[in-house]
Amino acid sequence: MNFNLSVGLSTYLLVGAMLFCLGLYGVFAKKNIVAVLMSIELMLNAVNLNFVAFNRFLAVSSVVGQVAALFVIVLAAAEVAVGLALVIAIYRTRHTTNTDEFNWLKW
Amino acid sequence: MFTEMHSLYEWAWVIPALPLLSFLLIAFVTKRSKGLSAAVSILAILCAFGLAIAIAAGVIGSGSEIVKHPVITSINWLDISGLKLNFGTVVDPLSTMMLFVVGLVASMVQIYSVGYMHGDRGWSRYFAYQSLFAMSMLGLVIATNLLELFIFWELVGLCSYLLIGFWYHKVSAREAAKKAFMTTRVGDFGLLLGILFLFSKYGTLDFVHLAALMNGTAQGLALAGGVGYITLTAFLLFVGPIGKSGQFPLHVWLPDAMEGPTPVSALIHAATMVVAGVFLVARIYFIFQHAAPGALEFVAGLGAFTAIFAATIAIAQDDIKRILAYSTLSQLGYMMFALGVGSLTASMFHLMTHAFFKALMFLGAGSVIHALHEKQNIWDMGGLWKKMPITGTTFAIGVLAISGIPPFAGFWSKDEILSAALQNGHPIIYAVGLFTAFLTAFYMGRLFFVAFMGPEKKENHPHESPYWMTVPLIILAFFSTVGGLVALPYHNFAFYVRNYIFVNGVVSLGTFTHEGMAWGLAGISVLFGLAGLVLAYMTYVTQTVKAEAVAARFPGVYKLLKNKYYIDEIYLWIIRNIMDGVGKVLYWFDIHIIDGVINGLALITRGGAGGLRRVHTGQLQTYALVFFLAVVVIFLAYTMGSGQVSALNPLAMLGGVK
Amino acid sequence: MSTVVFFIFAILAVASAWGVVTSKNIVHSAFFLALTFVGVAALYVLLNADFIAAVQILVYTGAVSIMVVFAVMLTLRGDVRESSEENRKWGWGLFTAGLLFVVIALVILTNTDWRILAGPWTVQNTAASLSRLLLTSYMIPFEASAILLTIALIGAVILAKGVKEDK
């Protein structure tokens, strides 16, 4: 599987940036806490894409970037497990997933 | 002798440390056990006293060597630039004498207290305070610098407050404690100011350094900003002793301080704490010497005035402890004017003998009060000598001693003061002192004849006090009898207590001179003392002179004396009218201006908070939003700052390291 | 050819991501998310990261998406069509995210070092190379992530199970 890529590094990075910023927007703007978690997954994917792209373009003889991406995936899996468990725990006591009502830090 | 004892002198810090240990032990461990508390306290003070005796023996043996080279042991306490403070002990004749006196009186009083305070609910607390006081006072006398002295000075003030108000359930005791504390505070403020004045000029508070800086040379004086500055400092420093040693006009607290338990009055308000002022003046005597002559004359004048002023009040008082209190004031005046006329040694001598006989008389009075179940009016007593022979006899010794009858202790010291006053060219002060001696003999005689002789009152059932109380009386009576004889070998106390400042080969003062006993002068003062006693005898025993008739002939004078010259009333009037008026103005200022500013600040803060509160939504999304926005803005600000977008270096900008 | 493939999947990924954050229906969001993961996985393949792509499909598209769908099902209340709306500050969020994108895009586009095409890929077997790295140079992070996963597993179980009232 050796593709002859005609698309440059910058293009990949731009795709990653788009994914990242869309995820960021989701984190800021979504009301549903599950949607916020999904947006975080988007951002993590954007980062992974960057790792792999840098690896492919700047270190053609090694897979170090892929190792990093692998670790990020592991972390993301842990994150989503704990995050969703938290969502369920909060939902059990508060009966809501609306982030507007998650304001216990207030005052 | 000197070198062998040297190592002992370095252990002088143990003397105050022992009572401190006892205080901590009582406060934290033995509080619940009365017997243990008293035992710990008495054991500690006796050990301290024993050590003081050992040091005193060594100092006497060392002779003039220790006068030239006082043994100073100190550790560094604080060392920041411009401020170097040591904490230490100084052993010289002056401090040694004080250690001995304080140790003796404190241990006697504590032993006495076992009998006097029997059954009191605050027993352990009492002994804890006693120990704390002993620690403070012993620390005070061996302090090496003014700040250390000031710390202990305040500590004895605190102990005085605690012990005057010991029976805090009595309103009068609480009020007296507050009065004592506030009044002495006025003096302490002056003292603190004086200390700051000294420090700002000399940069040191160490007695030896100060003396060395001031001594002799014009350089030292120039450094001090001239005589005027020293004089001002001396006056400020003297305000402290005025408050602590009850000199006019800050004497008002001392008679009220008699609300405390009688042993406390004996220890604190007669023998030890009140002489701290005299001691302080003696310690910093070199400052007064370098000040304008007015400073010492002021000390002398104020002392003499206080002496006669308090003596006249004492004549018209009926409360046994109040008479003794005014007598104390009068004697403190004596010591002050002795310093003022230039005889440090006479003053110290009188300080010592006074401590013996005044402690004796206060403890005697306590014994009487104890026997009569808290009766303090001398007219309710009478014929006590027969019922309480030990108390009566020892009290009589005290009366003879304070009246200056030879060979008792008071005679020697009082005589030395009076002859110093006359020889140093202060005839008026000498006359005042002589008349005060007469008055002293008269009112002490009055007290003794009315309370101890006279007809017995049948409603009283006095009995001799327990041995716990009589043994200290006997010991103190012994010292009151022979205490003055230490002056005999050379007829001058200066042989023992000379000044300690000896710099650049110049003995600044306290030169030991073989001053012969002025027998003529001594005879005159003995005559005056005897006259006072005889007049008292005629008035109150044989009634050849009718006291009522005299009082009736001079009703104004009698009323004036009876009411202590209305000093308390004057203070009250000043406080009521002037202070209250100022207070009202300040109150208005406080309410409307200060509080206005504060409230304004509070309102602004609250308004600002009310606005900013909306920012604090409690939602993490908002916080993350602000966070990211700020990161982007900061990033942009940096890139704009570096000129152009093409210069963007993401690694450098985002904190990456190559 | 690969350029066409790249753009197909890049657009798929970005468009699906857009769908994730704009859809008002949380279930649609979840499906869009899965689609995004697939798109990104395809990009990994283009980048010669076949093992990562496989992991991406398995972990993200498989496990994570399913978990998200489960969470949605467990917590869904009310009308599903309004289950994932924007909050009041979405305008600010859009502004910040947009601004960040502009900044990142500027950084990427102005950096000449990155304006490169790919050289020949010299790694023969990515999976084997990855395993070798993981068990040599990255031994400790590898073990650490194993511990992390265990802890996350236990933590998630405890959190989701909840604490009994009487304890």
Side-chain angles (χ1 to χ4, degrees), chain C residues 121-132:
Chain C
W121 181 243
T122 55
V123 178
Q124 290 309 313
N125 189 340
T126 20
S129 309
L130 268 173
S131 335
R132 199 168 293 115

Side-chain angles (χ1 to χ4, degrees), chain B residues 11 63 84 271 292 306 406 499 552 614 632 654:
Chain B
W11 285 85
K84 189 173 189 305
T306 306
N499 212 292
R614 296 177 184 284
V632 173
L654 293 177

Side-chain angles (χ1 to χ4, degrees), chain A residues 44-86:
Chain A
L44 287 166
N45 259 280
V47 171
N48 267 353
L49 190 58
N50 275 17
F51 271 126
V52 176
F54 275 124
N55 187 181
R56 175 66 186 86
F57 285 87
L58 298 179
V60 286
S61 59
S62 136
V63 288
V64 182
Q66 295 189 18
V67 172
L70 205 54
F71 282 126
V72 171
I73 290 173
V74 169
L75 283 177
E79 178 260 337
V80 82
V82 175
L84 287 175
L86 274 172

